[in-house]
Amino acid sequence: MQGYINRVSLTSKMLIITVFVGAAVWAASDFILSDNIRLIVNKQLDKTLSRQAKEDYEAFEDYMDHYSQLAKLSVKGSNFQRYINNLREYPAEVKYYDDAPDWFLENSLLRMFSYVQYALIFDFRYDVKEVYQAPGEPAPKGLLKMMPLQIDSSTMQNIIMTIENKQYVFASLRFESQNGKITGILMVAAELNSDLLSYVKFNNEDSIAALTGNSSGLKEPQIITSNNPGLVPAGTTYKSLEKDFVIIGKKFLDNAAIDKFGLISLISKKDYRQMTNDILSKERYYRAVTAVSIILAVMLIMLWLTRRIRRLRYRVEEFSRRSLGKKAVGLKKGDAIYILEQRFQSLSSNVMTRTTELNEAVMELAVTLRRAKKMQEDLLKAERFASIGHISGIMAHEMFNPINSVAIRTQKGIGRIVQTSTLLKKLLGEIESLNSFIQGAEKTSAADVETYQRSIAAIVRIANILLMEQEERNGDLNFINDTIAAVITTISNLQQISSMEKHIEPIDIPAMIREIIDDMYEEIKERGIDITASLPKAPSVMMDKTDIYTIVSHVIKNAAESIEKNTQPNAGQIRVELLVKHDAISALDRDTGKVLKQDAIVILVKDTGVGIPSQLWQTIFEQGMVGESRRRMSLSIIRKIIRYYFGDISVTSSTVGVGSEFQVIIPCKPV
């Protein structure tokens, strides 16, 4: 049996287990959580319905306020005022109206405003004089014979009162004519029935609003009316409602005069259960969707894991075959974990066999590493000698050019000296001829005068030639002097970088650049150049102090010489800026041989010089490209010094006639 199980693939087993466990967990959670969720849903539903019942009560109270507003609106209306002012006295008999009288609002406006059944005018003795009653709804006698106290209690407010075993809401307002002769009271009233409740805008359509009352003759509260008399008829006792309805709100009315009236909200238990079940069904559906989603996600994860396990098994087999020379034995198809376990057991046995061999090899490797480290140190020294040899070649090239030029100028100078000697001999002969002519001046003929004039012209011509030769010799001497100075500068630079031992130490780059600018300030100022710098705090750099001084000072010198050659009016500005860039350089660690990402210090030197054509941005750093000045060090040497520290120098921007920007980048940490 165990062997058969091991032959079943891990993917199939994991899928079956995932589906079974997921279904079992969902069923258990549904059984456990359903009752708790039902309680929570019922509580939440009760809160929601209670809030809606409170809103229904507020809507009913707002509607009741319409009656006092209607009484005030009627008395203040122009129709009523005109009627009262024209009335000399009240009629002897009570006058009834089935349609809206002239002194009252029109029927269309009444229906728009509120549900009004009756409007009565009482005189100052509280006797009724005129009555408006809705068609087919005669006013009850108790309403026509109300006590003064009852009428006064409704002045400017709404009250609910039982009259002839029916409940009415009414409001009244006193009035008088303009001449003060006619005074009285206007009262509007309506029975509290289902028609009135239909005018109230209740918020919850699923619930039933009902008025309850507990008159003095009743033992328990009863339903006075409801907005659904078919389900909750008038006269239904409060207790009988509890069998079929859930009472979700009960508020006593503040404007009940004597009897105690209230407003309740009801919802049938069938609807209540249906609402609960609907919510539970949705919740169960969401949980089922969630469970299926989780099962699918777990299945995908299992598929991914089994795939990785198979890959791991293949790698173990491949490792055993290639590294240890052992082929896989046992099952090749089936449970991937079981097969992987077999492979690891075989691999562990093979590894133990090889461990002894490796221990012996480690001893030999330790000896080899010591030898390799010694070879690495020798190699670094050889690299240093090679670097110096390359730099020396560059220096030899730069010294050869000016010395060769000096030799050419010297040979030309020797030729001019020989030519000058010939001219001097010729000049001496002309002078002797002129002297003989002067001594025999008394015997001078016209031909002699012409000869005299030619001698004078020859002397002048020879003198001018000698003067020009002298000026050329002066130029050659100046050139030789400048060239010797350039060679001396080159030799000095070679001395600075030729030392085998570099004193590597932490260098504060901002402070070093300030020191360099201070040292060069007077020289640059004499050239009519302004130099500014932006030097924020930066990490220290491990370098030789002489090297960083040589690099920065020569880049600034190059910028100054470029500015001197620029004839544009805005030339004369050098700007030095310092930046820190993260992970800017990939450098090889000499100890570990790993490529490391390094933060770097970036030095930008901007000038307003003659600029560099774009095609020369790279070639100016090649060997022999010194530029027009013989006094400055070759940029190829500067780059060589910088690259010793795994840094670099480049032209980042340059426009002919506008200026250039050089960038020097150096790692913050030694590598």
Side-chain angles (χ1 to χ4, degrees), residues 105-140:
L105 300 177
E106 297 179 358
N107 287 331
S108 59
L109 187 58
L110 284 175
R111 287 192 297 271
M112 184 184 302
F113 192 84
S114 61
Y115 176 74
V116 179
Q117 288 178 296
Y118 311 105
L120 303 89
I121 294 180
F122 296 87
D123 62 10
F124 64 92
R125 297 185 183 88
Y126 297 97
D127 294 329
V128 63
K129 293 300 181 181
E130 297 189 34
V131 178
Y132 160 74
Q133 52 192 9
E137 298 180 3

Side-chain angles (χ1 to χ4, degrees), residues 326-569:
K326 303 292 183 180
K327 293 184 178 180
V329 295
L331 290 176
K332 294 186 177 180
K333 293 184 178 180
D335 191 331
I337 293 181
Y338 176 75
I339 297 174
L340 182 63
E341 182 181 3
Q342 286 186 328
R343 300 295 184 267
F344 267 114
Q345 289 177 353
S346 176
L347 178 62
S348 62
S349 177
N350 294 331
V351 169
M352 290 296 296
T353 303
R354 292 297 180 93
T355 301
T356 304
E357 299 175 3
L358 291 176
N359 288 333
E360 296 175 357
V362 165
M363 299 301 294
E364 296 179 3
L365 181 61
V367 176
T368 303
L369 287 176
R370 286 194 293 270
R371 293 175 180 174
K373 189 171 183 179
K374 180 65 170 58
M375 292 175 64
Q376 184 182 30
E377 293 175 354
D378 295 340
L379 180 61
L380 288 176
K381 291 182 179 180
E383 289 178 354
R384 178 59 179 161
F385 279 117
S387 174
I388 292 176
H390 177 67
I391 295 174
S392 299
I394 296 172
M395 286 297 187
H397 179 273
E398 293 196 6
M399 287 188 292
F400 173 78
N401 287 338
I403 292 173
N404 185 54
S405 298
V406 170
I408 293 172
R409 291 293 184 94
T410 303
Q411 291 176 358
K412 289 183 179 180
I414 294 172
R416 290 194 185 98
I417 291 173
V418 173
Q419 185 178 1
T420 301
S421 177
T422 303
L423 289 174
L424 287 174
K425 290 179 180 179
K426 187 176 182 180
L427 178 62
L428 182 60
E430 292 294 337
I431 291 173
E432 289 178 352
S433 298
L434 181 61
N435 185 43
S436 299
F437 175 78
I438 292 172
Q439 291 178 357
E442 295 178 356
K443 302 177 180 181
T444 301
S445 63
D448 293 334
V449 172
E450 184 179 354
T451 301
Y452 169 77
Q453 291 175 346
R454 283 198 301 270
S455 297
I456 294 297
I459 292 172
V460 171
R461 185 171 62 255
I462 294 171
N464 288 332
I465 292 173
L466 291 174
L467 181 61
M468 292 174 61
E469 291 292 338
Q470 183 62 37
E471 290 177 355
E472 289 181 1
R473 282 195 296 275
N474 291 338
D476 290 340
L477 291 175
N478 290 333
F479 173 79
I480 292 171
N481 182 60
D482 292 342
T483 302
I484 292 173
V487 171
I488 292 172
T489 301
T490 303
I491 294 172
S492 175
N493 292 331
L494 180 60
Q495 288 177 342
Q496 292 179 6
I497 64 174
S498 62
S499 175
M500 273 296 295
E501 297 296 331
K502 289 185 176 291
H503 301 287
I504 304 299
E505 59 182 322
I507 302 298
D508 185 349
I509 296 297
M512 175 59 69
I513 294 177
R514 291 191 191 96
E515 179 182 343
I516 294 170
I517 292 175
D518 290 342
D519 293 345
M520 302 179 65
Y521 184 78
E522 292 299 330
E523 176 186 351
I524 293 175
K525 196 69 176 178
E526 289 177 357
R527 299 183 180 186
I529 300 172
D530 292 331
I531 182 168
T532 59
S534 173
L535 305 172
K537 291 183 178 179
S540 298
V541 175
M542 300 300 293
M543 291 185 68
D544 184 273
K545 186 175 182 180
T546 302
D547 287 345
I548 187 63
Y549 194 101
T550 301
I551 293 167
V552 177
S553 62
H554 278 78
V555 174
I556 294 176
K557 285 180 181 179
N558 287 342
E561 292 180 1
S562 178
I563 291 173
E564 286 186 325
K565 296 179 177 61
N566 193 356
T567 58
Q568 298 296 325

Side-chain angles (χ1 to χ4, degrees), residues 300-347:
L300 291 175
I301 293 173
M302 291 298 103
L303 290 173
W304 179 77
L305 288 176
T306 53
R307 186 177 179 184
R308 296 296 297 272
I309 290 173
R310 284 198 299 270
R311 288 182 179 178
L312 179 60
R313 188 195 75 188
Y314 295 147
R315 290 177 181 176
V316 170
E317 293 175 356
E318 188 68 14
F319 175 78
S320 298
R321 186 180 65 83
R322 290 188 176 183
S323 301
L324 304 178
K326 303 292 183 180
K327 293 184 178 180
V329 295
L331 290 176
K332 294 186 177 180
K333 293 184 178 180
D335 191 331
I337 293 181
Y338 176 75
I339 297 174
L340 182 63
E341 182 181 3
Q342 286 186 328
R343 300 295 184 267
F344 267 114
Q345 289 177 353
S346 176
L347 178 62

